[in-house]
Amino acid sequence: MQLRYAADANEFEAGVAEAVRGGAAGDEALARALLAVGRARRVTIVAALGEAEGPFGVPVLRSLVQEKREDVDVRCAGLVALSKRIGVEASDVLVNCLADENESVQRYALKCLACVGDDRGWAQVYELLQVALSGAPPRFPNSLSFKTLSLQSENLAAIGYLARHLTTPNRRSALVDVVVGGWEKLYSAERQWLNEYCPSLTPKGRHEQKELDVGWITSWLCHPLMSVLYLR
């Protein structure tokens, strides 16, 4: 199977969709196409690799997202694709990218880790949240939209990831302390979201023993970032 690199946009998209459904041959065609197309189409192909099947895409994605000379948009798309494709097995790469020199890569690594990551990054994410909530309050506290928080809020991505891995009482106490201690540093929509969906992490509800709905939190974090593009 080969993609038509010079095809118009519609033909190219149709070819990518066919490759996603084409098993190992399609996976190989997508991986090879990365060497022959421009930036915009590389982003499309990388996103498609997140839903393809075969032995070629995963090593390509693993290499691409950690290549600092690669286009940032391609790397970020690769983090999402790798997370969609192998889930928790992407945790090592995602944790490494939390410390990337590029802030966009850091943000995408955090959001993907919140969706699929295991707990190996707990201390690192906790430190990031601690730093974020120890600075000045947001200059424009109403600038985040409640409806699009899953895409906009790095704080909630960090809180959601930490909440998914509250394996000890100490972790729970530490998360409550950092969120409540930094309450005024959160955006208004973030505080509203926590009051509605995680009241035990708020100043008023911190002493409640109510369990967090981790499954729902994970689902919320993953939409629409991890939405299916081709295999509908």
Side-chain angles (χ1 to χ4, degrees), residues 172-173 176-178 180-181 199-209:
R172 185 182 185 92
S173 297
V176 172
D177 287 346
V178 75
V180 172
S200 61
L201 300 181
T202 68
K204 290 184 178 180
R206 65 175 302 170
H207 298 297
E208 297 179 8
Q209 296 303 311

Side-chain angles (χ1 to χ4, degrees), residues 32-192:
R32 290 184 180 277
L34 285 173
L35 302 175
V37 298
R39 174 193 162 279
R41 289 189 171 182
R42 281 171 64 79
V43 172
T44 298
I45 289 171
V46 167
L49 281 170
E51 297 177 23
E53 294 183 355
F56 303 96
V58 171
V60 167
L61 289 171
R62 278 185 170 274
S63 174
L64 178 149
V65 299
Q66 296 180 93
E67 174 51 68
K68 299 186 186 301
R69 294 170 296 180
E70 180 60 79
D71 179 85
V72 171
D73 288 342
V74 173
R75 293 182 69 195
C76 292
L79 287 169
V80 176
L82 187 65
S83 300
K84 289 171 68 174
R85 183 144 174 176
I86 62 174
V88 68
E89 293 180 17
S91 297
D92 59 329
V93 172
L94 298 176
V95 171
N96 286 342
C97 286
L98 286 177
D100 196 85
E101 60 192 30
N102 184 276
E103 291 185 0
S104 293
V105 173
Q106 293 173 19
R107 285 195 293 269
Y108 269 83
L110 174 60
K111 290 178 182 295
C112 291
L113 195 66
C115 293
V116 304
D118 63 23
D119 76 339
R120 75 185 71 187
W122 205 92
Q124 200 168 338
V125 173
Y126 181 80
E127 185 177 348
L128 291 173
L129 183 63
Q130 218 174 13
V131 170
L133 298 186
S134 64
R139 186 177 178 187
F140 302 105
N142 298 316
S143 60
L144 295 188
S145 167
F146 188 85
K147 293 182 179 180
T148 55
L149 277 177
S150 66
L151 289 175
Q152 291 182 301
S153 175
E154 293 174 53
N155 290 327
L156 291 184
I159 292 168
Y161 169 74
L162 297 171
R164 287 180 53 229
H165 299 293
L166 296 180
T167 53
T168 68
N170 286 343
R171 281 189 173 185
R172 185 182 185 92
S173 297
L175 178 57
V176 172
D177 287 346
V178 75
V179 174
V180 172
W183 190 252
E184 297 304 319
K185 314 299 173 58
L186 293 164
Y187 287 85
S188 299
E190 294 172 332
R191 295 198 297 267
Q192 179 186 349

Side-chain angles (χ1 to χ4, degrees), residues 19-23 26-28 30 47-54 57-58 85 231:
V20 169
R21 298 178 175 87
D27 190 42
E28 181 179 15
L30 290 168
L49 281 170
E51 297 177 23
E53 294 183 355
V58 171
R85 183 144 174 176
L231 297 177

